[in-house]
Amino acid sequence: MTPRAKRILGKSIVVTIIAIVATFALSFTARLALHMPIDWLSWVECTLIPILIGMPVGAYIFAQSDTIQDTFDKLEKSYAALRETHDRLAFVTSHDPMTGLLSRGGFMARMDRKRDEGEYDTLLVIDPDHFASFNDKHGHSKGDEALVRIAKALVYLTRPGDSIGRLGGEEFGVLLRGVRKEQAMTIAENIRRLIEGMPWIKGQQDDLKVTVSIGGAEIPPNADSQDILRTAERCIFEAKQRGRNRVSFDYEATRLRVTTP
């Protein structure tokens, strides 16, 4: 006998015993009240009727209940698996598989958030300098490794509430939430200096250092994210025109002298 059948039989027996006791109580009470005799037939009726009727009905009801519960459990497990798959798919579609950062679409969705009056964010766009030469000299695997290390540097120098994304190719975006231009320029310069000072290819005499140019733009309330992105990218172009490895905001390339604590 299967565990399921044993469980159903056990419940049916318990219910049948309760039904027998209840039948005896009601039948004998009624007979005594009506001054009717209690003979052997009364005992048989009170015993057999609950067994013949209650036992099959109880078994059927418990079997149906057990089937429904099994179906519910399977549906719940299927729903949990579907939700896990959906969450995994949502993460994959909104994140870059190599760096683990937000994809371009996921990052732009963060930029499109509604801002209250007087609330500003700042966008930084980071682009490695001469990255094609780096790939040609050291290979694409080292290029990918460099991008991952840049991504880690961005995570290290930003806050948990900020958003970091890979906008495409070697270009990265950082959304500094609630940060105005002056503070953002300091953060951008710290990013530039950290990446400039990182060791990249060890054990080679002709090491090609990786530097980045950074463009930034404030994001006021009701701003168009695409316009802000274009502004930051124009700032990058301005920084590269002025020699690369620098920070540019509002078309004015600067090299801040930030003292690291």
Side-chain angles (χ1 to χ4, degrees):
M1 184 178 292
T2 64
R4 179 175 182 269
K6 290 180 180 179
R7 185 170 60 251
I8 293 172
L9 179 60
K11 291 180 180 179
S12 301
I13 291 173
V14 171
V15 170
T16 302
I17 291 172
I18 294 173
I20 291 172
V21 173
T23 303
F24 270 109
L26 292 173
S27 178
F28 284 20
T29 301
R31 288 177 180 275
L32 290 174
L34 297 174
H35 304 289
M36 295 176 64
I38 299 176
D39 52 14
W40 67 271
L41 185 59
S42 301
W43 288 88
V44 173
E45 289 176 349
C46 291
T47 303
L48 291 181
I49 291 176
I51 292 175
L52 296 176
I53 297 177
M55 191 76 171
V57 171
Y60 175 80
I61 292 174
F62 287 126
Q64 292 300 310
S65 175
D66 201 70
T67 300
I68 292 171
Q69 185 62 47
D70 285 346
T71 303
F72 176 79
D73 291 342
K74 290 178 182 178
L75 286 174
E76 195 171 43
K77 289 180 181 178
S78 298
Y79 175 74
L82 182 62
R83 183 173 54 190
E84 182 180 350
T85 302
H86 176 269
D87 292 343
R88 190 182 303 114
L89 181 61
F91 181 87
V92 169
T93 55
S94 63
H95 287 73
D96 172 58
M98 187 176 75
T99 62
L101 302 178
L102 290 168
S103 64
R104 183 183 182 91
F107 185 81
M108 296 305 294
R110 298 284 181 90
M111 281 187 63
D112 287 335
R113 79 176 186 89
K114 182 176 177 57
R115 298 171 182 85
D116 297 330
E117 189 66 30
E119 183 182 13
Y120 285 76
D121 296 337
T122 298
L123 170 67
L124 303 179
V125 178
I126 299 94
D127 190 80
D129 299 320
H130 301 296
F131 198 71
S133 299
F134 185 96
N135 274 330
D136 292 341
K137 192 175 186 65
H138 301 290
H140 287 280
S141 62
K142 287 295 182 182
D144 291 345
E145 181 182 329
L147 293 179
V148 171
R149 296 183 68 184
I150 290 173
K152 290 180 179 179
L154 297 178
V155 173
Y156 177 74
L157 287 175
T158 52
R159 305 163 302 172
D162 299 328
S163 299
I164 311 170
R166 186 181 179 192
L167 302 182
E170 65 269 17
E171 189 176 73
F172 295 90
V174 174
L175 180 65
L176 300 171
R177 184 159 183 166
V179 173
R180 298 299 298 265
K181 171 185 172 182
E182 292 74 17
Q183 183 183 355
M185 292 176 71
T186 301
I187 296 172
E189 179 63 14
N190 287 338
I191 291 172
R192 184 199 67 76
R193 292 180 62 184
L194 176 61
I195 294 173
E196 181 186 32
M198 291 172 66
W200 294 93
I201 307 296
K202 297 181 180 180
Q204 295 189 14
Q205 298 295 327
D206 55 349
D207 182 19
L208 179 63
K209 182 178 289 292
V210 175
T211 61
V212 294
S213 296
I214 302 176
E218 277 189 345
I219 310 176
N222 302 318
D224 182 86
S225 58
Q226 294 292 341
D227 288 343
I228 298 298
L229 181 59
R230 282 191 289 268
T231 299
E233 288 177 338
R234 283 195 292 267
C235 290
I236 286 184
F237 178 77
E238 180 79 7
K240 290 184 181 292
Q241 289 291 103
R242 291 176 176 266
R244 295 179 171 82
N245 191 26
R246 61 185 62 224
V247 176
S248 173
F249 272 71
D250 301 333
Y251 306 105
E252 296 179 0
T254 60
R255 289 288 296 274
L256 301 180
R257 303 304 178 190
V258 179
T259 304
T260 304

